Amino acid sequence: MAILWRCTALAAALSATLLLQGCDQKTDLNHIKVGVINGAEQDVAEVAKQVAKDKYGLEVELVGFSGSLLPNDATDKGELDANVFQHRPFLEQQNRDHGYKLVVVGNTFVFPMAGYSKQIKSLQELQDGAVIAIPNDPTNLGRALLLLKKVGLIDLKEGKGLLPTSLDISANPHNYQIMELEGAQLPHVLDDPKVAVAVISTTYINQIGLTPTKDGIFIEDKDSPYTNIVVAREDNKEALNVQNFVKAYESDEVAKAAEKIFNGGAVKGW
């Protein structure tokens, strides 16, 4: 009898535990915490937040960041369920550098990188020895250098893929000075008379009211490999809250909002 009692008590305890876990899981799956970059991208995410609530009953808590160094760390640690701010090459580099186990769960938009200037209106006006400011994080640094190569300003060593560095510049016939800065600082250096051109992502250029298609003196084309993504962890990539958020983001409502918010500077990636 004692053995039977213990088994019955154990079964009851396990049932209570499973019931509590089930309740917690239900609450979690109706809520998601998502990291975004402050500014225009957060404005787009606000539309996805509303779609998620209206269509899936999902409460989306958006957490804003001013730069790209923290959202992946917070997601990996479980402080965020997902984030929306980066493209695949950046994620791959972050996973390698920090040992993160972050994965792609959806696509968002291609935000073309472009060169901007308040001093010149075309590349033909760029003087020898001019200062060109570019992002300093490894992925966007490589992206900017590849764009400079594409428009004929520099050449790069072969075999560097999507991650060349300034040390891989093999030809710089006009002796351009490459200045590397944190991405969020680049829009501000446009007012610096020493900087002729700054290569800036759409995320940051929109914060000062410019767009790549209208204001860039050179720009990535639609074949860019840098489609932005929704990112989660290996352990929650198939969770209902994550999947419903992705479906909400990959919606016509969000696509229309991005076209308006980015003034044509966002290309649908799904």
Side-chain angles (χ1 to χ4, degrees):
M1 292 293 293
I3 294 174
L4 178 61
W5 182 88
R6 289 193 187 107
C7 290
T8 303
L10 178 60
L14 287 172
S15 296
T17 300
L18 290 172
L19 180 61
L20 288 172
Q21 288 176 343
C23 291
D24 289 344
Q25 184 181 39
K26 184 177 180 181
T27 301
D28 288 342
L29 295 181
N30 283 310
H31 177 271
I32 188 169
K33 186 180 287 189
V34 180
V36 295
I37 299 297
N38 295 327
E41 285 195 48
Q42 184 164 355
D43 293 339
V44 175
E46 290 285 354
V47 179
K49 174 180 177 177
Q50 189 62 50
V51 173
K53 184 174 183 179
D54 293 344
K55 290 188 176 181
Y56 307 107
L58 178 65
E59 295 292 336
V60 179
E61 180 182 349
L62 297 176
V63 180
F65 293 84
S66 60
S68 60
L69 300 180
L70 297 178
N72 278 336
D73 190 63
T75 304
D76 188 70
K77 290 177 178 176
E79 297 166 3
L80 299 172
D81 299 300
N83 65 59
V84 184
F85 77 95
Q86 65 197 311
H87 44 61
R88 281 174 173 79
F90 185 83
L91 174 65
E92 291 169 3
Q93 184 67 42
Q94 288 270 292
N95 280 341
R96 282 194 296 270
D97 289 349
H98 303 284
Y100 297 150
K101 294 184 178 178
L102 301 176
V103 295
V104 179
V105 291
N107 287 343
T108 64
F109 300 92
V110 179
F111 298 103
M113 184 173 276
Y116 301 86
S117 178
K118 291 189 177 179
Q119 298 183 29
I120 62 174
K121 295 185 188 238
S122 71
L123 285 177
Q124 287 69 36
E125 299 176 33
L126 193 60
Q127 300 292 314
D128 287 1
V131 175
I132 302 174
I134 63 175
N136 65 359
D137 66 271
T139 305
N140 286 306
L141 168 64
R143 183 179 182 181
L145 290 171
L146 289 168
L147 181 56
L148 295 180
K149 175 183 177 180
K150 183 171 184 178
V151 298
L153 299 183
I154 61 171
D155 203 358
L156 297 168
K157 296 175 184 175
E158 295 294 330
K160 297 300 178 178
L162 296 175
L163 293 171
T165 70
S166 295
L167 296 176
D168 297 316
I169 297 174
S170 59
N172 183 3
H174 297 281
N175 296 312
Y176 298 125
Q177 301 177 56
I178 306 300
M179 175 189 292
E180 299 178 15
L181 296 171
E182 208 279 325
Q185 298 178 20
L186 289 168
H188 306 294
V189 302
L190 291 174
D191 293 319
D192 187 339
K194 296 178 182 177
V195 177
V197 176
V199 180
I200 309 173
S201 69
T202 304
T203 298
Y204 294 118
I205 202 64
N206 269 263
Q207 295 178 13
I208 61 170
L210 301 181
T211 59
T213 52
K214 291 184 177 181
D215 302 298
I217 58 175
F218 55 90
I219 183 174
E220 286 179 326
D221 59 29
K222 64 180 181 179
D223 297 322
S224 168
Y226 297 95
T227 302
N228 274 25
I229 50 181
V230 184
V231 169
R233 295 182 304 279
E234 281 281 359
D235 64 12
N236 75 334
K237 64 182 180 181
E238 296 181 359
L240 184 62
N241 57 350
V242 172
Q243 293 300 312
N244 282 342
F245 178 75
V246 171
K247 287 190 286 186
Y249 208 107
E250 294 180 350
S251 65
D252 290 341
E253 294 92 330
V254 171
K256 290 175 183 176
E259 183 177 359
K260 182 177 180 181
I261 290 168
F262 288 100
N263 198 21
V267 179
K268 186 170 75 171
W270 65 90

